[in-house]
Amino acid sequence: QSALTQPASVSGSPGQSITISCTGTSSDVGGYNYVSWYQQHPGKAPKLMIYEVTHRPSGISDRFSGSKSGNTASLTISGLQAEDEADYYCSSYTSSTTPFVFGAGTKVTVL
Amino acid sequence: QVQLVESGGGLVKPGGSLILSCAGSGFIFSNYYMSWIRQAPGKGLEWLSYISTGGSYTDYADSVKGRFTISRDNAFNSLYLQMNSLRVEDTAVYYCARRFCSGASCYPAAFDVWGQGTMVTVSS
């Protein structure tokens, strides 16, 4: 099972909005609304930011939002802040023999 | 507080075996599906395996199927990963993670509580 496709890096200035894409196939991202996003700071465990494409767990800032169109899911960070600098991973349920797959990760840099 | 703590990592030779443990606290461990997820140095996340609440259902990534076995002991709030026939490419930080549930609903591919990870190095 190939990893979902994410851009290697995305950058933006404080206060700006950025969007990270996550492209899969009709067997994963496009076929199910089980897409999640994780934030990972260096040396730390991942943190769940978005589940079921658009939903935020309790305690997650509304500056983080998720969406999906076809086989591509997206995470948008609005009002970019210094603490948003981290790696971001998407994940999806899949109908393949490996039921869950992650993206390769996107490094977000705050300029 | 809600917490997962992994242990058991270390250095092992190719072809060797290792057992990882994950202790849960601060929540009703037996109510949650649990997974193992790993991250090779400088690389992305890779889901490995999950186990149902009672342990009856398990599934594995193709990369570890037949070599790794997941299990749990709810009496001890513990999750395990038996790793056999280890390869150099199994070198990674191994995390245990809880499937996210909200109210009566639980969500595939969403993991809301993670341990700090335990490092496994496979090298001769």
Side-chain angles (χ1 to χ4, degrees):
Chain A
Q1 176 66 35
S2 300
L4 304 174
T5 301
Q6 297 182 235
S9 63
V10 173
S11 62
S13 299
Q16 286 186 328
S17 293
I18 62 168
T19 296
I20 304 167
S21 61
C22 171
T23 301
T25 69
S26 57
S27 296
D28 40 62
V29 174
Y32 306 93
N33 284 328
Y34 297 131
V35 176
S36 300
W37 288 91
Y38 300 86
Q39 176 192 67
Q40 187 180 34
H41 288 108
K44 301 293 187 183
K47 178 181 180 181
L48 179 66
M49 305 301 284
I50 296 286
Y51 68 97
E52 269 201 333
V53 180
T54 62
H55 300 276
R56 283 185 306 275
S58 175
I60 300 302
S61 170
D62 60 5
R63 297 187 299 106
F64 293 85
S65 62
S67 63
K68 188 181 84 167
S69 177
N71 295 336
T72 298
S74 299
L75 174 71
T76 297
I77 309 175
S78 305
L80 200 60
Q81 299 179 1
E83 64 256 34
D84 299 332
E85 187 162 291
D87 293 325
Y88 291 82
Y89 295 90
C90 61
S91 72
S92 175
Y93 173 80
T94 94
S95 59
S96 78
T97 52
T98 298
F100 302 114
V101 64
F102 283 93
T106 297
K107 182 174 181 59
V108 168
T109 300
V110 181
L111 302 172
Chain B
Q1 74 278 24
V2 174
Q3 190 172 292
L4 294 170
V5 178
E6 301 95 339
S7 60
L11 175 64
V12 61
K13 288 182 167 44
S17 297
L18 208 57
I19 300 176
L20 304 183
S21 300
C22 168
S25 61
F27 65 101
I28 303 173
F29 186 80
S30 58
N31 283 358
Y32 291 86
Y33 276 50
M34 298 295 297
S35 280
W36 286 98
I37 296 163
R38 71 183 177 186
Q39 186 169 35
K43 302 296 184 183
L45 300 167
E46 180 186 14
W47 176 86
L48 299 178
S49 180
Y50 80 73
I51 187 168
S52 61
T53 53
S56 298
Y57 301 103
T58 61
D59 205 352
Y60 299 89
D62 289 344
S63 59
V64 304
K65 202 169 289 184
R67 300 190 299 125
F68 290 10
T69 303
I70 191 171
S71 62
R72 67 190 297 164
D73 187 337
N74 288 335
F76 291 94
N77 294 333
S78 292
L79 176 72
Y80 305 100
L81 186 68
Q82 169 77 54
M83 303 187 295
N84 297 330
S85 303
L86 283 162
R87 305 166 180 166
V88 170
E89 54 265 35
D90 293 320
T91 294
V93 173
Y94 285 71
Y95 295 101
C96 60
R98 185 182 82 170
R99 187 174 75 166
F100 174 60
C101 298
S102 180
S105 299
C106 294
Y107 302 93
F111 308 103
D112 68 330
V113 180
W114 297 64
Q116 84 288 353
T118 187
M119 183 70 203
V120 172
T121 302
V122 184
S123 174
S124 55

